[in-house]
Amino acid sequence: MSQHTITVAGVAVDARHWIGGERVASTRTFPDVSPIDGSTIGEISRGTATEAAAAVAAAKAAFPAWAATSRAERARILHAIAGGVEKRIEELAIVETTDNGALLRSHRRGVMPRVAHNFRFFADWLLQLDHEDFDTRGHTNHVSWDPAGPCVLITPWNAPLMLATWKVAPALAAGNTVVLKPAEWSPLTASLLADIAAEAGLPAGVLNVVQGYGSEIGDALTSHPDVRRISFTGSVPTAKRIAESAAAHLTPLSLELGGKSPLLVFADGDLDLAVDLAVEQYDNAGQVCLAGTRLLVEEPVAEEFTRRFVERASALKQGDPRDEATDIGPNIHPRQLEKIDGFVQRALAAGARAVIGGHRKEDQYYAPTLLTDVAPDAEIVQEEVFGPVLTLQTFTDEEEAVRLANGTRFGLAATVVTGDPERAERVTARLVAGTVWVNCFFVRDLQAPFGGSRLSGVGREGGTWSFDFYCDVKNTVTAPKGWKDHG
């Protein structure tokens, strides 16, 4: 076994980069630490501008052949990658749980099957991607999607492989080559993806994986003149730096950023459903960009809602994410825990009341928290915490509900609970959000557009929207006359 191999629960993971179809080591490394117990999983190759340049060069060299590969062959290879994921679901699940602390049962049953589905969906969508020709004064318009070139994909730590493949799959399907930079707090499954893709027959250089700190490798990737698309999921400050870096070459960007989403509960709604949906916002220890962290409840039912919520939330089991009975695992990193607690302690000092939680637990666990008595302009209401922390505010009518819901700089998602379809239509029409759920939460279809408004992002991906981003969309106009006789 190589000195660069890390073993996680019996699964071998190569800690080196994957560039041009080969494993490449850096002269320096960084530690990958498990949030479950704080132990060091292993040392990961720490990329710099040198590895970034090599990865982009490999992607550029591989691009012409991959772009010229037929849709059918690209789709076949993507399906083969999906099959490789499905064969290794258990391995991928335990590695990712060890790496980022999310529930093992969720990885087994939902997240890793979704990874495979990402590849299968975009492979199938590619084969049906079409726009009907249309006529302009006797001239024929034909729309096509041309591969754009090498893509840099920068992905977060809260759902590492699922969110990476949400970008990788359509980029590859479109005929592009990829440089994937996973988050340094959870890099392991991206390395396994490189192995799976190679085994599936993906040509060398079409997918490259480089690891390291964004401050050391990120600018070299996002400012490179040969990069034709950048897709990033993460924080607003980082997105601003990426946008500045990409501006030199006007590289198109897709940005899915923070959220401070509202969950509106109207008095005419199903209160049990509302409580279920509210408690669900603690999923993944609150480390979900779409989470409805601002509970907005109509005054007549606020007291009863709170009572039922506390009863339900207090029954959640927090602990080792590898235990099937666990509902909430650890937060990913001591720095993230410090950030979460800082938000909560400042809110409490400003007069907020912790109905439940409001404090750290042992190791990297934060108690599920619900804060009330918070002002609309309070920091805890306005800024993304990214932990198991919810706030509760009340409203008296639709007008106030919408005003509170739209009262932040973000606009990623919103959830509405109401028993009145006309009210649902009125309210959702006024909400600023990329996705709105009515009497449900987290129902996602890959053919739907996904993205945020305001500071929650730029652009939309999903279905044809993904191909619109990852391709140069071309319109060819042909005159009805002018053809020479080739008979």
Side-chain angles (χ1 to χ4, degrees):
M1 187 173 289
S2 166
Q3 62 174 323
H4 302 287
T5 300
I6 297 170
T7 302
V8 183
V11 182
V13 184
D14 201 304
R16 295 172 291 180
H17 313 284
W18 177 254
I19 300 174
E22 297 180 350
R23 289 293 176 179
V24 176
S26 295
T27 56
R28 294 189 298 168
T29 63
F30 66 91
D32 183 27
V33 177
S34 175
I36 298 175
D37 56 11
S39 63
T40 298
I41 303 171
E43 294 291 327
I44 310 298
S45 279
R46 181 173 169 177
T48 63
T50 300
E51 289 83 1
V56 173
K60 182 181 179 181
F63 173 67
W66 182 245
T69 301
S70 70
R71 286 188 178 192
E73 178 62 8
R74 276 185 256 150
R76 185 193 67 78
I77 292 176
L78 262 63
H79 276 293
I81 295 173
V85 169
E86 288 164 347
K87 290 177 182 177
R88 301 185 68 176
I89 280 179
E90 185 64 26
E91 295 179 11
L92 292 166
I94 189 60
V95 169
E96 190 141 296
T97 290
T98 304
D99 208 14
N100 87 328
L103 299 184
L104 179 58
R105 73 184 191 210
S106 295
H107 281 141
R108 283 172 170 159
R109 300 170 192 171
V111 177
M112 295 310 163
R114 167 64 185 272
V115 168
H117 178 62
N118 284 344
F119 284 104
R120 295 202 186 281
F121 173 87
F122 286 106
D124 292 341
W125 200 264
L126 169 66
L127 296 179
Q128 67 181 41
L129 184 66
D130 191 27
H131 189 295
E132 185 176 350
D133 290 352
F134 57 98
D135 179 83
T136 303
R137 299 188 300 278
H139 296 64
T140 301
N141 293 264
H142 176 73
V143 177
S144 58
W145 287 262
D146 294 350
C151 301
V152 166
L153 311 179
I154 304 174
T155 55
W157 45 260
N158 59 320
L161 192 57
M162 193 273 283
L163 292 177
T165 56
W166 160 248
K167 302 176 187 293
V168 170
L172 296 181
N176 298 322
T177 51
V178 165
V179 178
L180 171 63
K181 194 278 181 190
E184 59 266 28
W185 287 352
S186 56
L188 298 183
T189 48
S191 180
L192 292 176
L193 176 64
D195 295 336
I196 292 170
E199 291 165 5
L202 190 70
V206 175
L207 172 65
N208 306 275
V209 179
V210 290
Q211 301 146 159
Y213 297 121
S215 59
E216 296 177 348
I217 195 172
D219 183 66
L221 291 172
T222 56
S223 65
H224 200 292
D226 292 331
V227 171
R228 294 315 312 138
R229 295 293 187 274
I230 299 169
S231 181
F232 168 73
T233 298
S235 71
V236 172
T238 301
K240 290 180 178 179
R241 291 195 296 271
I242 290 173
E244 290 174 359
S245 180
H249 305 290
L250 294 180
T251 309
L253 296 168
S254 178
L255 304 173
E256 195 264 281
L257 309 177
K260 195 67 182 177
S261 301
L263 194 163
L264 293 81
V265 179
F266 287 93
D268 60 15
D270 182 331
L271 205 56
D272 286 332
L273 171 65
V275 170
D276 288 344
L277 296 178
V279 172
E280 191 177 346
Q281 307 311 307
Y282 289 132
D283 183 50
N284 201 21
Q287 299 168 144
V288 178
C289 58
L290 293 163
T293 56
R294 293 185 296 130
L295 308 181
L296 307 178
V297 185
E298 195 166 6
E299 286 185 358
V301 296
E303 184 176 346
E304 179 62 15
F305 171 89
T306 304
R307 185 190 68 78
R308 296 190 198 183
F309 177 90
V310 169
E311 182 179 346
R312 282 287 315 283
S314 299
L316 295 173
K317 180 180 178 182
Q318 190 165 24
D320 192 321
R322 296 166 295 190
D323 186 338
E324 280 281 319
T326 297
D327 298 306
I328 302 177
N331 290 97
I332 192 166
H333 193 276
R335 199 156 75 224
Q336 184 65 16
L337 201 70
E338 289 285 344
K339 176 185 173 185
I340 295 166
D341 194 49
F343 274 115
V344 172
Q345 298 313 315
R346 289 192 297 274
L348 293 174
R353 180 172 67 91
V355 180
I356 58 170
H359 57 86
R360 301 184 195 190
K361 301 177 77 173
E362 68 283 351
D363 299 324
Q364 286 177 211
Y365 295 81
Y366 204 88
T369 296
L370 176 66
L371 300 178
T372 61
D373 300 335
V374 290
D377 61 350
E379 178 194 49
I380 196 72
V381 173
Q382 292 292 321
E383 300 297 330
E384 184 177 44
V385 177
F386 223 59
V389 179
L390 310 180
T391 60
L392 190 150
Q393 299 164 273
T394 62
F395 61 86
T396 57
D397 54 28
E398 281 185 25
E399 191 66 31
E400 186 179 18
V402 171
R403 179 173 57 79
L404 290 172
N406 290 338
T408 74
R409 301 173 300 155
F410 298 101
L412 188 56
T415 301
V416 178
V417 179
T418 177
D420 183 346
E422 293 182 355
R423 166 173 279 159
E425 185 174 353
R426 288 193 305 270
V427 170
T428 57
R430 298 178 62 192
L431 293 177
V432 179
T435 300
V436 181
W437 288 286
V438 179
N439 294 331
C440 60
F441 176 68
F442 217 60
V443 178
R444 291 279 307 277
D445 192 312
L446 289 181
Q447 65 183 313
F450 180 76
S453 303
R454 295 177 176 168
L455 289 189
S456 286
V458 175
R460 296 290 184 271
E461 295 186 44
T464 301
W465 289 274
S466 285
F467 288 94
D468 288 345
F469 172 70
Y470 288 110
C471 293
D472 291 323
V473 183
K474 178 193 295 179
N475 185 46
T476 302
V477 185
T478 304
K481 298 179 181 180
W483 302 111
K484 291 184 178 180
D485 185 0
H486 291 278

